[in-house]
Amino acid sequence: MADLTLDSVTKIYRPRGREPVRAVSGLDMAIADGEIVALLGSSGCGKTSTLRMVAGFETVSEGSISLGGRRLNALRPAQRNVAMAFEGYSLYPPLTVRDNVAFALLRERAPRAEVASKVAEVAELLEIEGSLDRYPATISSGHQQRASLARALIRPAALHLLDEPMSQLEPQVRAVLRARIKEWLKDRGMTAVLVTHDQTDAIALADRIAVMEASRLMQFGTPAELRERPANLFVAGFVGEPPMNLVEAEVVAGDGRPRVVAADGLLTLELPALNGPLAPRPGQRVWLGLSPRHLAVGRGPQRARVVANQWLGDQTHLALELGDGAAALPLIAVAAGMLEAEPGESVAFEVEPRGLHLFDHEDDTALYHGSPDGTTGEPA
Amino acid sequence: MQRSSWPWRIFKALCLTAISLFFLFPILWVLLMSFQTNADILRVPPSPFFTPTLANYKALIAGELTGAGSTLQIAYMKNILNSFVLSACSVLLSLLLGVPAAYAFARYRFRLGENIAFTLLSFRFAPPLLVLLPLLLYFQELGLYDTYIGLIWVYQLITLPLILWIVRGYFEDVSPDIEHAYRIDGHSWLRSFLKIAVPLARPGIAAAALLAFIFAWNNFVFALILGSSDVQPVTVGALAFITASGIQYGQIAAGLVLSVIPTFVLALVMQRYLVEGLSLGAVKG
Amino acid sequence: MSFLILDRLSKSFGAVKVFDGLSLAVAKGETVAICSPSGSGKTLLLRLIAGIYEPDAGEILIDGKAVTGLAPDARGIGMAFQNFALYPHLTAFENIASPLRARGVAEAELTRRVGRVAEILKIGHVLRHLPRELSNGQKQRTALARAIVADARLLLLDDPLRNVDAKLRYEMRHELPRVLREFEATVLYVTQDFREAMALGRRIGVLHGGGFVQVDRPQRIYADPETVEVARLFGDPTINLYDSELAGGAVSLLGLTLGLPGAADGGRRPCRVGVRPEHVELDAGGEAAPDGGAGGLPVTIEAVTPLNQNAVLLLQAAGGGEILASTTLQRAEALARGPRRAIARVRPEHLLLFDRDSGARIRTG
């Protein structure tokens, strides 16, 4: 339980006879004591290399990592006071699940009775009581993953590292186990870093999420920040299921207020008066981002044709199209509950001001976000 | 983690050199001997400095061994040709029989299947002498003694199990779904075997064929008993170098070098397939 | 007249009975999604239809003709595999062309048809590549193209989106219905993901215990499940389930007694009560609660896990027992900032009752 600082951490792999590969480039992160942070990205983005450097399985090429004020770079994994749940579980095959979970505590010579009660507690949390006296090879991969999680969570380490902790869990238990693990970590004030490619896990568990892509940190913020104020085009197109609709557009001067025009005038939206150095100017090419949750269907000035209506139990995903043929502009809208709309039907919709974002067409950085309270917009 | 200190690196280099010397020195020595006269070879103490001569090779190719005062007619080049014919035909026959059989063993479970496969493999570890004498009697009766066909037939004991077991493993590594997909596309069973299974197992088939060829080439005892000079391979032919008037070490060495060349060249050519065979498993389709 | 009929199929492997009298009828042009947990035989079912395995008993009819006993190449179907099953030594073009080559299609026509399907699936630019040079998404599209290129009368899609990343999976969920419509295919679509099944299937079949326990429209599967397994399978977060007893037309739930309108006042019956997380209504607790929390269940909020469109709350009832509730992000944030106490309410009409032993639905009223 301590704070973790990554200071310009870089990892360069130098395979013999080939070009060096930059896996992590100049990563700066400050993780507070008791915070849960997720490293989120697709495979090859550098998140696993980062985790392995923190754990001590990879050397740090440049920069430094410190935990609770102590520099970790030169320490062996066992000296770092870090607990880790491995993606491949890494349970000891000749030991029962119970012995696997208790292993680290027994090695530290904790009293047997205390260990037994802690094992029982964490087993109940993860619903593996029935598997405790079995061997890892005889239980399902979902239970192996839970056992691996239990082995990490039971340790009072300064830092908990969880590598794809939920990937094998049965869908029916995911939601409840996510909630319980979060409660366990928060109750004990544990600092945790989890690596995942599944943004649902990241959003549900983490206080803050570091989105990584191509060895670089794209944004480090709370789930709400990633959703409401994505720092660049990549984050906007990555976060959310579905992510933001992204359309090339142009800012034009209107009479009074500027407007943004997309798809040859198929979609025109008013912007508030913009100020500030980054604010888009009339004539500027931009990427227009429209959050699916803020495309309100059934009211408003715009009209679109329904291409598909997919009701998923507690929410409806609508595929809409503006215009016809090859030039048509596809949009995805999401609404809570069920929405009656047949494919082929024409529906009204409106872009809520808070669902509107603009990104620079050249360098992809955010220029403008609709404000969360829905009144006025603000330059990024 | 991968960093190592320089004393350790020197230690590793020394170990590697020692091991390489241990394995490579005899080969080097034989190569040197093949360019020496018998007198040079038998000199005490041995010397690495000598005047190289091609006399040993010339004698072998001409088929005339000149020993101490006498001349012996041998057919060493014919022996090499025999080795080649026997090994190549054996491997070809084994491929024709073994590849479909390997496919059957890999894809289908049938009655006694595992027993049959194991029996075939057991030929590899039964001592050949066990079957040789009865075979000799059969062969003389059937007129197969001292024929290519007879020897190729017996060589199946060596090559067929090898090919069957190696290729079977490769077929098992090909996802059955790939063949299912091909069948569902509308292709017949035979086409799916020829166009999908065989090409995907090709590196394994090449590796197995190469190994079988080398094993057949190096066989000694079958040809010694079941053939006479007409069909004898190099392994048996080299016996002729031991004459009443002495052992011609230089010529034996030259004979060895000549007999190794075909398998050596073959291994070099097939190396690509061997490597491909090893790496294919890492790439999923 | 149904296009595909599965008539009382049975199949065992050794002592394991996978299917026992399974039946299904699919109309021409219809997409039926088969959704069930792993190990229930979804993939085997497709393989029986494809002719890779033969059923022990029962009949498979495609377009009115019995195909049981026919080899896979004689059944005229298209299939996409979960692991793609592309031919690694052939280019994407040759992979897609394979069914056309089997049918002896002339070269010019073949090129045209491969080109058309590749354009629809947006892989025209990678046709010359070998499978190992394709990204996962391109492999998946190539496999799909191969399945549909020959206008197969029946398409079997075996969890084709399983091995592609979440973003591509989402895109394909919207794109696939359009492609399938274009080829007027009759489709069986196997998936483990209930959202995928709801998005793609006109009807959904749930396999459990050797047969279909429910085949119905997505709305009915979700709102009106036949068994407890169906209820557990559909919905994220999963439905809350509690052991209870139906007595006197009412059930008790974590100490709360709820009268069921229309329930017969019969004897006692052990049951399981299901409540979907989105049907758990939350009021701020304590004095702020309307009518002082009467008729509600006092709970503490143990954890808040936001999702993309909503948030999941883990609640602990005063008398013990966990409840998962799902609500909007804003509401969840507001509740989490407060004293972390609330009053949970459930409307009787939202309760789903199941027999405790058989798991079958108990319908009241």
Side-chain angles (χ1 to χ4, degrees):
Chain A
M1 283 149 249
D3 60 303
L4 176 72
T5 310
L6 280 72
D7 186 10
S8 345
V9 169
T10 297
K11 177 72 198 175
I12 303 170
Y13 292 99
R14 303 180 193 279
R16 197 174 292 178
R18 272 182 290 151
E19 288 288 296
V21 181
R22 260 175 186 269
V24 179
S25 301
L27 190 60
D28 286 310
M29 282 170 74
I31 296 168
D33 187 7
E35 196 174 17
I36 306 174
V37 165
L39 302 180
L40 174 67
S42 45
S43 54
C45 72
K47 58 187 193 298
T48 302
S49 294
T50 305
L51 192 77
R52 293 177 61 84
M53 282 190 285
V54 175
F57 304 131
E58 298 279 359
T59 53
V60 179
S61 305
E62 289 161 26
S64 79
I65 300 176
S66 47
L67 180 62
R70 191 169 64 130
R71 196 175 135 95
L72 292 184
N73 288 42
L75 297 181
R76 280 184 282 115
Q79 300 169 323
R80 298 190 176 197
N81 194 16
V82 164
M84 180 154 171
F86 293 86
E87 189 186 4
Y89 323 137
S90 306
L91 298 169
Y92 312 120
L95 301 185
T96 60
V97 169
R98 183 190 302 281
D99 292 341
N100 263 288
V101 174
F103 190 83
L105 293 185
L106 291 177
R107 210 193 48 177
E108 287 159 11
R109 304 186 192 287
R112 288 208 162 256
E114 188 192 315
V115 172
S117 82
K118 275 193 170 175
V119 170
E121 193 184 357
V122 76
E124 191 191 342
L125 178 90
L126 296 169
E127 295 182 20
I128 49 170
E129 297 101 320
S131 298
L132 278 180
D133 292 310
R134 299 178 62 179
Y135 289 91
T138 66
I139 59 179
S140 70
S141 59
H143 275 242
Q144 288 184 44
Q145 184 158 46
R146 293 192 218 174
S148 163
L149 266 170
R151 190 175 57 177
L153 291 180
I154 200 171
R155 286 184 57 192
L159 176 65
H160 286 76
L161 302 177
L162 312 174
D163 192 2
E164 299 283 0
M166 305 283 189
S167 57
Q168 293 298 320
L169 294 189
E170 304 81 342
Q172 283 77 26
V173 298
R174 269 182 177 227
V176 68
L177 289 192
R178 270 198 296 248
R180 288 195 201 148
I181 291 168
K182 189 168 186 176
E183 185 196 354
W184 175 280
L185 293 171
K186 284 289 167 206
D187 275 0
R188 288 160 183 74
M190 288 171 159
T191 312
V193 176
L194 65 127
V195 154
T196 179
H197 70 276
D198 182 338
Q199 47 174 300
T200 315
D201 288 341
I203 291 169
L205 277 168
D207 299 316
R208 282 194 296 164
I209 298 173
V211 180
M212 292 183 73
E213 169 68 4
S215 89
R216 293 186 181 281
L217 183 64
M218 302 307 283
Q219 187 169 2
F220 186 29
T222 65
E225 278 168 1
L226 297 186
R227 201 165 43 229
E228 306 286 352
R229 305 180 61 82
N232 50 49
L233 197 65
F234 176 82
V235 176
F238 184 78
V239 173
E241 186 175 312
M244 214 173 263
N245 298 288
L246 291 166
V247 197
E248 284 187 77
E250 191 179 351
V251 177
V252 295
D255 21 297
R257 304 177 92 189
R259 283 172 300 167
V260 59
V261 179
D264 291 332
L266 283 174
L267 184 65
T268 302
L269 299 168
E270 282 206 344
L271 293 171
L274 296 167
N275 296 306
L278 280 174
R281 309 262 166 253
Q284 188 177 342
R285 303 278 305 149
V286 291
W287 285 97
L288 168 64
L290 300 173
S291 155
R293 297 187 310 131
H294 299 299
L295 288 185
V297 174
R299 59 181 154 91
Q302 315 276 358
R303 291 205 80 81
R305 198 176 63 257
V306 177
V307 177
N309 179 352
Q310 302 187 337
W311 175 72
L312 305 175
D314 53 350
Q315 52 192 274
T316 304
H317 293 210
L318 279 181
L320 304 173
E321 244 175 35
L322 274 72
D324 294 296
L329 172 65
L331 292 175
I332 303 279
V334 172
M338 194 191 286
L339 213 123
E340 301 286 353
E342 289 298 313
E345 195 179 310
S346 169
V347 292
F349 77 97
E350 122 180 290
V351 179
E352 294 174 4
R354 64 182 301 186
L356 195 157
H357 306 258
L358 297 179
F359 302 90
D360 193 294
H361 199 267
E362 310 281 298
D363 65 7
D364 295 349
T365 54
L367 299 172
Y368 165 85
H369 300 295
S371 109
D373 60 27
T375 50
T376 55
E378 51 190 310
Chain B
M1 299 285 119
Q2 298 95 334
R3 256 177 271 147
S4 46
S5 58
W6 62 268
W8 171 248
R9 266 191 261 171
I10 289 179
F11 175 73
K12 273 201 295 194
L14 281 177
C15 285
L16 282 174
T17 315
I19 293 166
S20 316
L21 267 182
F22 181 81
F23 284 107
L24 293 179
F25 183 74
I27 297 170
L28 185 71
W29 196 249
V30 166
L31 192 66
L32 289 177
M33 269 167 68
S34 71
F35 293 106
Q36 290 173 322
T37 61
N38 231 22
D40 280 333
I41 295 167
L42 296 175
R43 190 166 51 209
V44 180
S47 157
F49 304 105
F50 60 92
T51 330
T53 169
L54 288 175
N56 296 323
Y57 288 97
K58 279 187 192 140
L60 282 176
I61 292 166
E64 285 182 358
L65 292 194
T66 39
S70 64
T71 302
L72 180 72
Q73 296 290 328
I74 57 146
Y76 195 71
M77 294 321 284
K78 173 110 192 321
N79 287 336
I80 288 193
L81 187 69
N82 281 342
S83 274
F84 195 79
V85 169
L86 288 173
S87 307
C89 291
S90 301
V91 170
L92 274 180
L93 182 62
S94 289
L95 285 177
L96 277 175
L97 297 173
V99 172
Y103 182 74
F105 282 123
R107 280 286 180 266
Y108 302 101
R109 300 277 157 265
F110 43 89
R111 218 156 58 86
L112 298 180
E114 281 308 308
N115 296 334
I116 295 169
F118 185 76
T119 307
L120 283 169
L121 182 69
S122 67
F123 294 153
R124 287 295 307 143
F125 38 79
L129 284 173
L130 203 71
V131 291
L132 261 179
L133 286 179
L135 268 179
L136 178 63
L137 296 177
Y138 285 139
F139 270 39
Q140 281 172 337
E141 200 68 25
L142 293 168
L144 288 172
Y145 176 76
D146 198 19
T147 59
Y148 285 125
I149 292 177
L151 278 181
I152 290 169
W153 185 4
V154 182
Y155 272 28
Q156 294 309 308
L157 288 177
I158 308 166
T159 52
L160 189 57
L162 256 180
I163 286 181
L164 186 71
W165 277 82
I166 296 178
V167 175
R168 175 188 179 170
Y170 275 82
F171 278 136
E172 279 170 354
D173 282 350
V174 175
S175 159
D177 275 350
I178 295 180
E179 285 171 57
H180 292 154
Y182 202 67
R183 292 299 309 280
I184 290 169
D185 284 352
H187 300 280
S188 67
W189 172 85
L190 189 65
R191 276 185 70 84
S192 112
F193 173 68
L194 293 176
K195 297 283 178 187
I196 301 295
V198 170
L200 290 182
R202 198 181 57 185
I205 294 172
L210 176 64
L211 271 177
F213 187 89
I214 292 170
F215 273 71
W217 185 277
N218 291 340
N219 181 264
F220 173 72
V221 70
F222 285 136
L224 178 71
I225 309 266
L226 298 175
S228 76
S229 60
D230 282 347
V231 297
Q232 266 171 0
V234 278
T235 42
V236 181
L239 275 182
F241 297 135
I242 302 167
T243 63
S245 51
I247 301 174
Q248 299 298 323
Y249 289 108
Q251 286 156 359
I252 292 180
L256 272 173
V257 172
L258 282 183
S259 74
V260 164
I261 285 174
T263 46
F264 186 70
V265 169
L266 203 62
L268 277 186
V269 173
M270 305 283 263
Q271 198 180 24
R272 193 173 66 86
Y273 286 104
L274 290 176
V275 174
E276 197 181 310
L278 291 175
S279 63
L280 193 79
V283 184
K284 286 178 201 140
Chain C
M1 181 63 197
S2 298
F3 185 74
L4 170 72
I5 294 172
L6 308 178
D7 186 18
R8 285 163 290 173
L9 292 182
S10 293
K11 178 73 181 173
S12 304
F13 287 96
V16 184
K17 212 166 199 165
V18 187
F19 299 133
D20 190 7
L22 172 146
S23 295
L24 179 72
V26 183
K28 195 168 177 60
E30 187 185 27
T31 298
V32 172
I34 300 175
C35 183
S36 48
S38 56
S40 53
K42 302 185 294 285
T43 294
L44 176 65
L45 181 62
L46 292 196
R47 277 152 202 249
L48 288 178
I49 301 169
I52 296 168
Y53 294 107
E54 287 297 331
D56 300 334
E59 196 68 74
I60 299 168
L61 294 109
I62 301 177
D63 205 4
K65 282 187 260 326
V67 297
T68 353
L70 286 183
D73 47 318
R75 296 193 180 191
I77 56 181
M79 182 159 173
F81 293 78
Q82 183 187 316
N83 55 10
F84 311 134
L86 296 176
Y87 316 128
H89 56 308
L90 301 179
T91 59
F93 181 93
E94 283 303 326
N95 265 282
I96 300 171
S98 167
L100 300 175
R101 294 219 183 276
R103 286 161 177 77
V105 173
E107 200 64 34
E109 167 76 0
L110 180 141
T111 311
R112 191 188 65 75
R113 284 172 72 173
V114 173
R116 172 168 167 251
V117 68
E119 189 193 329
I120 289 173
L121 285 164
K122 300 171 191 157
I123 44 170
H125 56 296
V126 292
L127 286 179
R128 291 163 171 280
H129 293 221
L130 287 174
R132 66 164 173 271
E133 298 161 340
L134 301 178
S135 70
N136 253 3
Q138 290 164 342
K139 280 185 199 171
Q140 185 263 319
R141 282 160 185 266
T142 306
L144 211 56
R146 183 177 68 189
I148 59 182
V149 71
D151 291 330
R153 28 189 206 158
L154 178 62
L155 274 184
L156 307 175
L157 306 182
D158 185 1
D159 217 344
L161 303 184
R162 179 80 177 279
N163 288 320
V164 301
D165 67 55
K167 194 173 172 185
L168 267 173
R169 194 157 54 222
Y170 186 84
E171 283 171 15
M172 282 308 282
R173 229 154 72 183
H174 281 279
E175 196 177 331
L176 209 50
R178 188 174 56 80
V179 175
L180 296 176
R181 256 202 312 278
E182 189 131 345
F183 284 83
E184 294 170 355
T186 306
V187 185
L188 277 188
Y189 189 101
V190 155
T191 176
Q192 282 192 307
D193 179 345
F194 83 92
R195 290 189 200 278
E196 214 169 289
M198 293 182 79
L200 292 174
R202 203 180 74 83
R203 286 189 300 154
I204 297 173
V206 184
L207 262 182
H208 190 260
F212 284 104
V213 289
Q214 191 169 3
V215 183
D216 218 328
R217 288 177 296 116
Q219 291 85 332
R220 303 261 307 168
I221 293 265
Y222 192 84
D224 203 3
E226 290 286 346
T227 70
V228 71
E229 286 82 18
V230 178
R232 270 175 59 77
L233 203 55
F234 290 79
D236 178 29
T238 313
I239 190 166
N240 295 291
L241 284 167
Y242 306 94
D243 282 347
S244 182
E245 252 183 2
L246 178 61
V251 288
S252 75
L253 190 70
L254 301 170
L256 202 65
T257 302
L258 293 162
L260 298 168
D265 195 359
R268 303 171 77 81
R269 184 173 176 187
C271 68
R272 300 182 80 184
V273 182
V275 186
R276 293 220 181 264
E278 64 267 29
H279 291 152
V280 177
E281 293 160 29
L282 289 172
D283 290 322
E287 292 79 55
D291 58 39
L297 190 64
V299 292
T300 53
I301 299 169
E302 299 288 333
V304 179
T305 55
L307 302 178
N308 277 313
Q309 331 294 353
N310 51 6
V312 177
L313 301 159
L314 179 66
L315 310 172
Q316 186 87 39
E322 278 177 352
I323 307 168
L324 282 183
S326 143
T327 180
T328 63
L329 290 166
Q330 293 85 335
R331 180 119 179 78
E333 273 164 35
L335 286 165
R337 271 197 302 268
R340 294 211 155 218
R341 286 179 192 288
I343 302 292
R345 289 172 213 276
V346 183
R347 288 191 215 163
E349 64 264 31
H350 282 147
L351 295 181
L352 294 169
L353 265 61
F354 305 94
D355 187 88
R356 200 182 300 171
D357 300 318
S358 69
R361 178 79 180 278
I362 303 172
R363 290 175 199 281
T364 56

